Amino acid sequence: MKHIAIVLAAGSGKRMGSDCPKQFIEIDGKPILYYCLKTFDESFMDEIIVVTRESDIEYVSKEIVKKYSINKVTEVIAGGSERYDSVYNGLCHIEDSDSLVYIHDGARAFVSDEVLNRTKEALKEHKACVVCVPSKDTIKVSDADLNVSDTPDRATLWCAQTPQAFSYDVIMSAFTKMYKESDGTKGVTDDASVVEKFSDVKVKIVEGEYTNIKITTPEDLALGKMILGLN
């Protein structure tokens, strides 16, 4: 049984206000993508598949994987038009059907060993896991006119992060069923939602960390520097 990470690095820099894809913006002289790849490389993972834009494959291969000796990266492949397409492309490159798959956003640079290890332990009893943190805020649900229609109990609300981890057969089966439905991708915002919608497998919450941020805006970049102790 192999532990295989699929790291998604096919995003853009639109919300960052940058021409450079967010995962390649540098913090302390290294691309954001480097930090999570290094953590996965030094973990219990057996393999890492990086999914990026086709035009960035050479850059990722030479300027990150080779330059920083990320030795567990076995493939750098092209993603799809949507996030779920990129995940599926990664899944199709896994040959061992007994594998455990950890899907992670490359812009989440600061995932820790502790979170990876908690996820690994959870997979011993559950076939689907999602890393989350408790919501700090009260959440309001609105109607079409922006009137508050509901206030869910905050004790039941969690903010999803990555990695989201699954046995290969569960996640691949769910993705296959999703693509067979004419409107199967509607409402799909993360990998766990695919399993929730297209399987009977319950998704287990694994507690994450508030420092496991996804860097998408300049404010996130400043926070990332603080996490690294650069400010």
Side-chain angles (χ1 to χ4, degrees):
M1 181 182 295
K2 289 185 176 180
H3 298 272
I4 301 177
I6 296 176
V7 177
L8 305 172
S12 67
K14 290 182 180 178
R15 281 184 285 177
M16 187 66 72
S18 170
D19 293 330
C20 175
K22 58 194 175 188
Q23 61 271 14
F24 303 145
I25 293 174
E26 293 189 352
I27 299 180
D28 197 29
K30 297 181 178 67
I32 287 170
L33 179 60
Y34 154 84
Y35 291 98
C36 74
L37 286 182
K38 194 67 173 174
T39 299
F40 276 92
D41 193 59
E42 294 175 349
S43 75
F44 56 83
M45 294 295 163
D46 296 299
E47 298 178 17
I48 304 169
I49 298 171
V50 181
V51 187
T52 190
R53 298 186 302 183
E54 189 168 2
S55 59
D56 292 326
I57 289 177
E58 184 175 3
Y59 171 81
V60 172
S61 300
K62 292 183 177 179
E63 298 301 322
I64 300 180
V65 174
K66 184 177 180 180
K67 181 177 180 179
Y68 296 108
S69 300
I70 311 296
N71 297 314
K72 291 182 181 177
V73 171
T74 55
E75 293 186 83
V76 180
I77 65 172
S81 58
E82 301 291 341
R83 183 187 187 279
Y84 46 77
D85 296 319
S86 293
V87 172
Y88 184 69
N89 286 359
L91 291 171
C92 288
H93 280 74
I94 295 176
E95 297 179 356
D96 188 348
S97 61
D98 290 330
S99 297
L100 298 175
V101 184
Y102 301 72
I103 303 167
H104 187 68
D105 295 323
R108 289 191 187 274
F110 311 112
V111 62
S112 69
D113 291 330
E114 290 77 14
V115 166
L116 294 185
N117 288 328
R118 285 201 291 270
T119 306
K120 178 185 177 184
E121 287 301 308
L123 279 177
K124 291 180 179 179
E125 298 183 21
H126 309 278
K127 290 190 174 183
C129 301
V130 55
V131 172
C132 301
V133 289
S135 175
K136 294 181 178 180
D137 302 312
T138 296
I139 304 298
K140 300 292 185 181
V141 179
S142 73
D143 61 20
D145 296 319
L146 296 184
N147 298 310
V148 173
S149 61
D150 190 23
T151 302
D153 180 2
R154 189 171 67 185
T156 68
L157 299 177
W158 295 75
C159 301
Q161 300 181 335
T162 64
Q164 299 188 6
F166 314 87
S167 63
Y168 174 83
D169 60 331
V170 166
I171 189 66
M172 192 57 163
S173 174
F175 264 79
T176 301
K177 290 177 181 178
M178 177 186 75
Y179 281 117
K180 287 182 178 178
E181 297 282 342
S182 59
D183 62 344
T185 60
K186 184 178 181 180
V188 169
T189 56
D190 66 354
D191 317 302
S193 63
V194 179
V195 173
E196 292 160 23
K197 189 175 180 181
F198 294 101
S199 84
D200 296 325
V201 176
K202 291 188 178 296
V203 180
K204 183 69 173 179
I205 288 176
V206 176
E207 188 156 0
E209 296 171 343
Y210 291 105
T211 53
N212 185 22
I213 63 170
K214 186 176 182 181
I215 298 177
T216 57
T217 67
E219 292 79 11
D220 298 329
L221 194 60
L223 181 55
K225 291 178 180 179
M226 291 178 63
I227 292 170
L228 286 176
L230 300 176
N231 288 346

